């Protein structure tokens, strides 16, 4: 406090100093003014804690759209990563709008208007939209149809694949010459699965990868027919409570590793893990070719029919190797054109030259321009009798298809597909097979019959000029611009935004749900889009592989998925999927049910999910509240343990996340 000079003199002289009356009045006035301002500010301000996130909330929690509210164990304060917005300030009672009217085309308000007829349903919709959000959620829950607990199917159905085990349809087939019995013959409406497929007695949680590559539990696949039939080839042996796969010595005399080394030495340009990222193994046995290629950063889709060795694909999936039940019969395989960098067939028992070579022409459709076809079989090295005739027929057909035999050594022959159409156009006139009609879309694969023609290669070089791995995982592929979709110029931006979005989502799953600790090896994205979910799992080093399913009801993005170096399949979720029961550890379904509910029964879809999900597996379902509560009811009726989470927009959002556990 400042004082006058006389006061200072008195203080030094020892005379007592007293505060003057005017100074006292100023102090009191200033104090009263400060208190008044404090209470005024407190009265008119909002509570900042209602809109500000808790500073202890981690970055991952704030970015995860479906992160639940959690409780801080160190304090009594609840941590809510995303608070709902403040409600609007209520209008004071008695407030009256002084003037009403409409705004004309000049922007001025006028009272010169006429009231016509109105639709009462519009008023009802407005009332619903502005009603209390809590009441809206209650209305959605009230709409849920209560479901009784599902029964368990008969024990004979423990390996049931609905579209391949349809005895009624198979019995009506007149011929097996063209592998008709291996085609999809799905149950008719009303005759589909209505119960829970049982697991074998003493079933155990699967052995984690990579140990599962070499051994699996006997009780999970209690069938010895493959062991008994292939024992001489050292395919599988049983030791106690496990099956053992000895060093990949299946079709490969010296083991899978030596076999792959031999291929690399024969044609170094194949460059596993760089130029060659995606492969197809036909007639795969138990998928040792694909299992050992994983060490070289190659994802191999292994396929085989459900034939007399009817559990080979089940063994492959139990091992944790990408596989699917499929066969070259009378229809195209459900994979896009120019999908695979390499296609392999070792002792696959396929007559490639039958019916004008339709099977090999299907291989040509799926093989990327400049890609390689590897055939390891007896006719390659034994040129006697029928075997010599088979080899000559194969040489003749491949030369007419403009394939180049680049290397032949021992029992292995390797061909390369041409890079463009000029090779086909320079053939002599009348040479068969001819080029397909221009209206024959090579990416149209769902229930399309095989044809004896060569699929066109794009004149613009699309599909052949993909970048090497791993750059191709995020580089926007050229085929992005050939897909039929609404967007045009913004496609690259949408593609990149999709990748960013999924990386944020999966990062949250990894941190919140501890995804890396769950042993999720076989993963399926049921509505894959651009494959962003699978790419994010790779980026975050989750040790799994993903089957990217593109539903036929949406845009065909499957070619893009393969261009990224991922695998996938076209499918209609109104029908069952061609895989054995208990073959996937994790199912991801985003907006699947809201998109398909007008076409399919959502109960049938989720029952199919239960069939293919392993005990101990998880399902992550993101969808609108209009279906999510019904899905939760169905999941509980199947015995799944469910958890419901709000979106990042808060509890009043129209989207929610339903996580489900199928416990053993």
């Amino acid at each position: 406090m400042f004082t006058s000079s006389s006061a200072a003199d008195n203080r030094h002289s020892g005379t007592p100093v007293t505060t003057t009356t005017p100074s006292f009045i100023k102090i009191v006035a200033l104090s009263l003014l400060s208190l008044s301002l404090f209470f005024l500010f407190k009265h008119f301000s909002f509570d900042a804690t209602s809109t500000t996130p808790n500073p202890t909330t981690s970055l991952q929690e704030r970015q995860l759209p479906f992160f639940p509210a959690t409780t801080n164990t160190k304090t009594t304060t609840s941590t809510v990563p995303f608070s709902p917005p403040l409600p609007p300030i209520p209008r004071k009672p008695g407030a009256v709008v002084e003037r009403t009217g409409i705004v004309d085309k000049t922007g001025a308000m006028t009272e010169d208007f006429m009231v016509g007829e109105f639709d009462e349903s519009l008023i009802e919709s407005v009332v619903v939209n502005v009603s209390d959000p809590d009441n809206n959620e209650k209305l959605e829950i009230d709409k849920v149809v209560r479901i009784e607990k599902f029964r368990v199917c008969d024990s004979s159905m423990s390996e049931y694949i609905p579209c391949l085990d349809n005895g009624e349809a198979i019995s009506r087939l007149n011929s097996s010459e063209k592998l008709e019995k291996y085609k999809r013959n799905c149950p008719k409406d009303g005759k589909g699965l209505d119960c829970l497929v049982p697991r074998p007695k003493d079933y155990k949680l699967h052995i984690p990868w990579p140990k599962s590559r070499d051994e699996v539990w006997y009780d999970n696949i209690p069938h010895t027919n493959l062991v008994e039939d292939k024992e001489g080839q050292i395919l599988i042996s049983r030791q106690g409570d496990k099956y053992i796969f000895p060093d990949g010595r299946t079709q490969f005399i010296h083991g899978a590793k030596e076999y792959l080394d031999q291929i690399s030495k024969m044609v170094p340009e194949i460059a596993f893990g760089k130029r060659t990222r995606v492969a197809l193994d036909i007639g795969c046995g138990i998928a040792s070719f694909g299992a050992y290629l994983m060490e070289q950063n190659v994802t191999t889709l292994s396929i085989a029919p459900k034939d007399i060795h009817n559990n080979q694909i089940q063994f492959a999936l139990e091992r944790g190797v990408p596989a699917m039940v499929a066969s070259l019969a009378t229809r195209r395989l459900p994979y896009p054109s120019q999908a695979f960098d390499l296609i392999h067939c070792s002792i696959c028992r396929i007559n490639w030259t039958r019916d004008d070579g339709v099977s090999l022409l299907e291989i040509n459709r799926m093989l990327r321009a400049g890609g390689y076809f590897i055939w390891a079989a007896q006719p390659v090295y034994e040129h006697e009798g029928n075997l010599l005739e088979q080899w000559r027929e194969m040489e003749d057909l491949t030369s007419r298809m403009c394939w180049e035999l680049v290397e032949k050594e021992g029992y292995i022959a390797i061909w390369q597909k041409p890079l463009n159409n000029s090779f086909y156009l320079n053939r002599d006139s009348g040479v068969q097979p001819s080029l397909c009609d221009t209206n024959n879309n090579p990416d149209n694969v769902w229930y399309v019959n095989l044809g004896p023609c060569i699929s066109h290669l794009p004149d613009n070089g699309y599909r052949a000029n993909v970048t090497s791995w791993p750059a191709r995982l995020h580089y926007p592929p050229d085929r992005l611009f050939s897909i039929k979709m609404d967007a045009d110029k913004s496609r690259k931006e949408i593609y990149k935004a999709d990748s960013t979005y999924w990386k944020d989502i999966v990062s949250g799953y990894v941190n919140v749900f501890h995804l890396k600790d769950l042993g999720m090896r076989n993963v399926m994205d049921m509505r894959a889009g651009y494959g962003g979910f699978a790419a994010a799992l790779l980026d975050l080093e989750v040790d799994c592989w993903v089957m990217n399913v593109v539903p036929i009801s949406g845009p065909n993005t499957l070619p893009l998925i393969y261009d990224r170096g991922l695998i996938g399949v076209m499918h209609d979720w109104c029908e069952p999927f061609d895989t054995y029961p208990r073959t996937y550890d994790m199912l991801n379904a985003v907006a699947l049910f809201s998109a398909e509910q007008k076409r399919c029964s959502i109960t049938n879809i989720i029952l199919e999910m239960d069939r293919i999900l392993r005990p101990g597996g998880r399902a992550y379902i993101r969808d609108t509240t209009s279906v999510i509560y019904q899905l939760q009811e169905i999941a509980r009726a199947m015995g799944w343990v469910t958890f419901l989470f709000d979106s990042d927009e808060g509890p009043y959002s129209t989207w929610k996340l339903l996580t489900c556990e199928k416990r053993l």
Side-chain angles (χ1 to χ4, degrees):
M1 186 176 67
F2 295 100
T3 60
S4 64
S5 59
S6 59
D9 294 339
N10 291 335
R11 185 167 59 248
H12 288 296
S13 62
T15 305
V17 179
T18 60
T19 305
T20 61
T21 301
S23 298
F24 176 78
I25 293 173
K26 289 179 181 179
I27 293 171
V28 173
L30 183 60
S31 300
L32 291 173
L33 180 61
S34 299
L35 288 171
S36 300
L37 290 173
F38 173 78
F39 285 109
L40 284 171
F41 178 81
K42 185 175 181 181
H43 179 72
F44 288 103
S45 65
F46 290 105
D47 184 5
T49 60
S50 64
T51 58
T52 304
N54 190 312
T56 63
T57 304
S58 68
L59 177 61
Q60 289 83 359
E61 292 170 355
R62 296 183 189 181
Q63 290 178 338
L64 178 61
F66 300 99
F67 189 79
T70 57
T71 303
N72 189 337
T73 56
K74 295 182 180 180
T75 66
T76 58
T77 305
S78 178
T79 303
V80 183
F82 298 97
S83 300
L86 289 171
I89 300 175
R91 183 174 293 169
K92 294 180 180 180
V96 179
V97 179
E98 295 182 355
R99 186 181 178 194
T100 60
I102 64 170
V103 177
D104 63 15
K105 61 183 180 181
T106 66
M109 179 173 283
T110 176
E111 296 177 354
D112 185 15
F113 64 91
M114 212 163 55
V115 177
E117 297 180 357
F118 67 96
D119 187 351
E120 294 183 0
S121 63
L122 295 177
I123 301 298
E124 294 174 1
S125 65
V126 171
V127 171
V128 171
N129 287 335
V130 300
S131 61
D132 180 18
D134 287 329
N135 187 52
N136 280 346
E137 185 171 0
K138 184 176 183 300
L139 290 174
E140 294 291 352
I141 296 174
D142 289 343
K143 292 178 184 177
V144 172
V145 178
R146 303 302 168 190
I147 297 178
E148 296 293 330
K149 187 176 181 180
F150 286 95
R151 66 181 179 88
V152 177
C153 306
D154 187 84
S155 59
S156 62
M157 297 178 66
S158 64
E159 316 296 340
Y160 180 61
I161 304 177
C163 294
L164 300 177
D165 291 329
N166 185 356
E168 180 181 346
I170 294 173
S171 64
R172 293 195 300 266
L173 298 176
N174 296 322
S175 172
S176 61
E177 181 182 351
K178 295 184 179 181
L179 305 176
E180 289 280 348
K181 63 181 180 180
Y182 299 132
K183 291 195 317 183
R184 286 172 58 84
N185 292 283
C186 300
K188 295 181 180 179
D189 292 342
K191 294 187 177 181
L193 196 65
D194 61 354
C195 54
L196 305 179
V197 173
R199 59 179 180 265
K201 183 182 178 182
D202 300 323
Y203 182 92
K204 301 177 179 64
L205 294 179
H206 70 91
I207 296 173
W209 180 268
K211 191 177 180 180
S212 63
R213 187 193 69 179
D214 303 320
E215 60 183 41
V216 300
W217 296 115
Y218 167 80
D219 289 328
N220 291 6
I221 313 177
H223 308 287
T224 58
N225 54 344
L226 202 59
V227 178
E228 295 165 354
D229 188 82
K230 298 289 183 177
E231 190 71 42
Q233 295 185 26
I234 324 176
L235 183 60
I236 302 176
S237 62
R238 182 182 173 186
Q239 296 181 10
D241 57 356
K242 294 178 182 176
Y243 290 112
I244 306 298
F245 312 102
D247 192 27
R249 296 175 186 270
T250 57
Q251 302 98 322
F252 320 119
I253 299 173
H254 301 293
K257 289 184 178 180
E258 289 79 0
Y259 179 75
L260 295 174
D261 289 342
Q262 182 181 357
I263 291 172
S264 296
K265 291 175 182 177
M266 289 172 66
V267 185
E269 292 79 9
I270 287 177
F272 288 129
K274 294 180 181 179
R275 185 191 183 281
T276 297
R277 163 62 187 175
V278 184
L280 177 68
D281 187 17
I282 299 174
C284 62
I286 55 173
S288 290
F289 179 79
Y292 282 86
L293 266 179
M294 284 187 168
E295 295 179 352
Q296 302 191 41
N297 273 331
V298 177
T299 298
T300 304
L301 177 58
S302 302
I303 64 171
K306 187 177 183 183
D307 58 5
I308 56 174
H309 307 304
N310 58 1
N311 297 100
Q312 52 189 331
I313 293 297
Q314 190 176 19
F315 273 108
L317 288 163
E318 187 69 18
R319 297 178 75 183
V321 180
M324 183 175 173
V325 181
S327 63
L328 281 166
T330 61
R331 296 174 183 150
R332 285 178 174 176
L333 291 171
Y335 317 117
S337 67
Q338 299 200 71
F340 300 98
D341 307 313
L342 181 146
I343 297 180
H344 172 261
C345 164
S346 175
I347 319 177
C348 53
R349 297 179 299 171
I350 294 176
N351 183 357
W352 293 113
T353 59
R354 73 170 178 88
D355 298 332
D356 301 318
V358 290
S359 296
L360 198 61
L361 288 166
E362 173 65 356
I363 296 299
N364 183 77
R365 181 189 69 83
M366 298 183 295
L367 186 61
R368 194 176 298 279
Y372 296 92
F373 175 69
I374 301 176
W375 189 37
Q378 274 187 296
V380 176
Y381 67 95
E382 288 189 13
H383 295 166
E384 296 181 1
N386 292 335
L387 296 176
L388 177 59
E389 183 180 353
Q390 290 177 33
W391 173 250
R392 287 176 175 172
E393 289 177 352
M394 188 70 167
E395 278 189 310
D396 176 59
L397 176 59
T398 54
S399 64
R400 287 185 281 116
M401 292 168 54
C402 300
W403 284 12
E404 178 188 1
L405 180 61
V406 292
E407 193 62 63
K408 179 173 175 286
E409 181 181 294
Y411 65 107
I412 303 173
I414 303 177
W415 286 269
Q416 185 176 24
K417 179 179 175 178
L419 287 168
N420 52 58
N421 291 318
S422 63
F423 293 87
Y424 307 131
L425 299 175
N426 291 332
R427 297 182 304 172
D428 294 337
S429 60
V431 173
Q432 297 295 325
S434 61
L435 285 171
C436 299
D437 294 336
T438 53
N439 60 357
N440 186 329
N441 183 356
D443 291 324
N444 185 13
V445 298
W446 192 247
Y447 287 124
V448 176
N449 290 331
L450 296 177
C453 63
I454 299 174
S455 300
H456 278 267
L457 295 174
D459 296 328
N460 51 21
Y462 282 6
R463 312 172 197 180
N465 55 352
V466 294
T467 56
S468 297
W469 183 262
R472 65 190 280 189
L473 180 62
H474 292 295
Y475 187 84
D478 291 334
R479 281 201 273 190
L480 178 64
F481 298 96
S482 63
I483 292 176
K484 293 181 181 179
M485 56 187 296
D486 295 336
D488 185 14
K489 294 182 180 179
S490 61
R491 293 187 180 202
K492 280 191 176 181
E493 287 70 24
I494 294 173
Y495 174 86
K496 291 177 180 178
D498 179 77
S499 296
T500 302
Y501 167 77
W502 274 114
K503 193 165 185 179
D504 288 343
I505 295 289
V506 175
S507 177
Y509 286 1
V510 168
N511 287 285
V512 177
F513 300 132
H514 306 289
L515 213 57
K516 291 185 178 181
D517 301 328
L518 297 178
M520 302 286 105
R521 175 61 187 173
N522 303 350
V523 178
M524 177 185 287
D525 190 354
M526 301 178 69
R527 190 169 181 260
Y530 298 129
F533 175 72
L537 288 170
L538 274 170
D539 287 337
L540 296 168
E541 300 180 347
V542 179
D543 195 6
C544 67
W545 63 270
V546 181
M547 178 64 77
N548 293 280
V549 181
V550 175
I552 65 167
S553 57
N556 184 7
T557 56
L558 195 56
L560 297 185
I561 289 171
Y562 277 90
D563 287 351
R564 299 187 74 170
L566 307 170
I567 61 171
V569 63
M570 183 72 70
H571 185 63
D572 183 356
W573 282 115
C574 295
E575 298 179 4
F577 191 81
D578 284 346
T579 190
Y580 282 88
R582 305 172 301 279
T583 48
Y584 283 89
D585 301 301
M586 176 180 171
L587 304 176
N588 183 56
V590 178
L592 174 69
F593 293 93
S594 54
E596 302 288 10
Q597 62 179 338
K598 293 182 180 179
R599 301 178 59 249
C600 324
S601 163
I602 63 173
T603 301
N604 289 347
I605 297 176
I606 203 165
L607 275 171
E608 176 65 2
M609 292 171 67
D610 179 80
R611 186 184 72 86
I612 67 179
L613 192 63
R614 280 171 166 172
R618 305 286 200 280
Y620 296 92
I621 304 172
R622 297 179 60 239
D623 223 310
T624 60
T625 54
S626 60
V627 297
I628 207 75
Y629 292 111
Q630 188 63 54
L631 293 174
Q632 186 179 36
E633 176 70 15
I634 299 170
R636 287 173 174 171
M638 296 191 308
W640 288 6
V641 178
T642 65
F643 303 91
L644 197 60
F645 299 87
D646 295 324
S647 75
D648 60 340
E649 298 174 0
Y652 306 140
S653 170
T654 57
W655 286 79
K656 291 187 182 296
L657 169 68
L658 178 67
T659 68
C660 309
E661 298 179 19
K662 181 181 178 180
R663 295 182 177 175
L664 181 62

